[in-house]
Amino acid sequence: PEVAKQVYLATRDAKLRVDILVNNAGVCTMGDMVDNEEDDIWRMMNVNVGTVTSLSYLYGKDMKKQQRGRILFLSSVVGVTPGGPGVAAYSATKAYEKSLAMSMGREMEKYGVGVTCIMPGAVKGTSFAARSKAEEAVCWKFPFYAMNAPEIAGRSVRAMLSGDAQVIPGWHNRFFLKILAPLLPQRTTSSIVGFAFSPLKLGMPSVPWKREKHILADGDDFNANTSPPRILKLPKMENRNEYSWKSRWGASYPSNQSDSQSNDDNTVDANGNIDTNNNSTMQEESIHSSDTIAPENEHTSQLQPPANANDNLGEEGAGSSNQ
C-alpha cells in the first residue's frame, strides 16, 4: 500500500491526469498453503489485495471528480470457483478482486467511470507464470488450453473501452464456469481446479482410496510418511450381555441367536429363563444381575430364579432372590 501511494503522489506531482488504471500486478505461490513461507503469503496479500485496493481508491477518487475514467481489474478463473486447492491464498485474493470490481462498478457508473474485471485462465509466456512456477501445472501443459498474453491484453482493452462489467476469455473457461460448475457440487469443482493447478506427473496416478494401513496404538508415534486411517475402528465389547437387547429392554423383545449364545457367561436365554446347568457361583451372579437390571416396560416378563436356587445359594442367595 505504501508503494501505491508513492506512485500516486509521483503522477500527481508530475501533473499527469490518469484516465485509465490497470490493476495488473500479481504474485502467486504454488503448493499447499501451510507448506509455503509466511513472508511469501503476506507479500502476495499485500500486492494482490493491498496495492490493488490503494490504487483503485486513490485514482478512483480523482476519476469521480473528473466524471470520466476506466479501471481494469485482472482477476482469475480461480477467483470465481468455490476454492483453489494448491493456490488457496491466491484464489482468495482473486475472489476479492472480482468482488471489489463488481462493487465499484455499480458505485462508479453514475459518475461516468467504467470498471471491468477480466478473469483469464492459464496464460503462457509471462514473467508471472515463470516466477510462480505455474507453467509446471497441468493446465499449462494441456493442449490448446493456455492462451497467449497479447490475446488476453487485446481482449481486455476492448472490454474495458466497451464498458463491459466482466469478461472470461476462452470458450473452455466460459463453458466450465457458466455451464459445468453450476451443475457440479462445490467439492467436485474445487477438486478439478486443484488438479488443474497441480504439477504434471508422468506415470499412472495412485488410486486415492488405496492407502497404507496405519493404526495408532497406545504409545506409538505418528509417522508423517504414512497416511492415518480414514475410518476409526471402535474397540470390541468385552461383555456383549451389557449391550444386548434382552438385558436392556427385557426378555420379551426378540434378539438374535448370536446374542443368546455370545459367551459362557450368559446365564439368561432368549426366553428369559436362567440356565440351571451352571454352577452355584454363576447362578448367584445371574440372580443378582436379574434383580438389578429391571425392564423399563412394566408389561415385559420378569426374570424368575430357578426353584432350587435357595438350596444351592443358602440364606444369602435366597434373600437376594426374594428381594
Side-chain angles (χ1 to χ4, degrees):
E2 296 296 332
V3 177
K5 190 173 183 179
Q6 293 176 6
V7 173
Y8 172 76
L9 294 177
T11 56
R12 190 185 65 176
D13 295 340
K15 296 181 180 180
L16 297 176
R17 189 182 69 180
V18 177
D19 294 331
I20 297 176
L21 172 65
V22 179
N23 290 312
N24 191 33
V27 180
C28 178
T29 57
M30 303 289 290
D32 295 344
M33 179 178 176
V34 295
D35 295 335
N36 295 322
E37 297 293 335
E38 185 177 1
D39 295 339
D40 295 339
I41 295 177
W42 281 113
R43 181 171 63 91
M44 179 174 55
M45 297 291 290
N46 291 331
V47 174
N48 297 1
V49 176
T51 302
V52 169
T53 304
S54 298
L55 291 174
S56 302
Y57 168 75
L58 295 173
Y59 287 105
K61 204 169 185 179
D62 292 344
M63 294 178 184
K64 178 182 176 180
K65 295 179 181 180
Q66 300 168 7
Q67 299 288 311
R68 59 178 298 175
R70 292 289 188 269
I71 301 177
L72 176 63
F73 287 84
L74 189 64
S75 182
S76 174
V77 291
V78 296
V80 189
T81 58
V87 285
Y90 175 77
S91 63
T93 60
K94 291 305 176 179
Y96 170 82
E97 287 190 37
K98 176 183 178 294
S99 178
L100 181 62
M102 298 301 294
S103 300
M104 287 191 64
R106 295 300 304 271
E107 294 175 356
M108 302 292 287
E109 63 182 3
K110 56 181 175 287
Y111 303 109
V113 180
V115 181
T116 303
C117 179
I118 184 168
M119 293 161 285
V123 182
K124 57 184 178 180
T126 61
S127 58
F128 166 80
R131 288 194 307 266
S132 61
K133 299 180 179 180
E135 292 180 344
E136 300 177 359
V138 174
C139 58
W140 264 266
K141 303 295 183 180
F142 196 79
F144 309 108
Y145 176 75
M147 304 180 67
N148 296 320
E151 183 180 1
I152 298 296
R155 185 69 181 89
S156 302
V157 172
R158 291 193 298 269
M160 180 184 61
L161 297 178
S162 301
D164 297 337
Q166 60 179 359
V167 176
I168 303 176
W171 66 268
H172 35 65
N173 293 323
R174 291 192 294 271
F175 174 78
F176 177 73
L177 296 177
K178 298 294 185 180
I179 299 177
L180 188 59
L183 301 177
L184 297 175
Q186 293 187 355
R187 182 179 178 85
T188 304
T189 305
S190 301
S191 300
I192 296 175
V193 175
F195 171 75
F197 279 87
S198 61
L200 179 62
K201 297 180 181 180
L202 300 178
M204 294 298 295
S206 60
V207 182
W209 57 84
K210 187 177 181 181
R211 294 173 176 263
E212 184 178 356
K213 294 183 179 180
H214 181 76
I215 301 177
L216 296 178
D218 295 338
D220 291 348
D221 295 332
F222 177 74
N223 186 4
N225 297 326
T226 306
S227 300
R230 299 184 65 179
I231 301 178
L232 298 179
K233 295 183 179 179
L234 297 177
K236 296 183 178 179
M237 300 178 183
E238 296 181 357
N239 187 3
R240 293 189 60 182
N241 295 334
E242 299 179 0
Y243 303 92
S244 61
W245 281 100
K246 61 179 176 295
S247 62
R248 180 172 176 83
W249 301 103
S252 61
Y253 285 83
S255 59
N256 297 331
Q257 185 177 0
S258 59
D259 290 335
S260 60
Q261 300 177 356
S262 58
N263 49 34
D264 296 332
D265 295 338
N266 189 4
T267 59
V268 182
D269 57 9
N271 297 324
N273 298 323
I274 298 178
D275 188 4
T276 58
N277 295 327
N278 294 338
N279 53 27
S280 60
T281 304
M282 298 300 296
Q283 290 179 356
E284 181 179 0
E285 293 178 0
S286 63
I287 292 172
H288 283 289
S289 62
S290 63
D291 292 336
T292 55
I293 303 176
E296 296 181 3
N297 191 348
E298 62 181 1
H299 298 288
T300 58
S301 60
Q302 301 292 333
L303 301 179
Q304 299 295 333
N308 58 349
N310 296 337
D311 299 336
N312 296 333
L313 299 178
E315 296 180 357
E316 182 179 0
S320 301
S321 62
N322 292 332
Q323 292 176 359

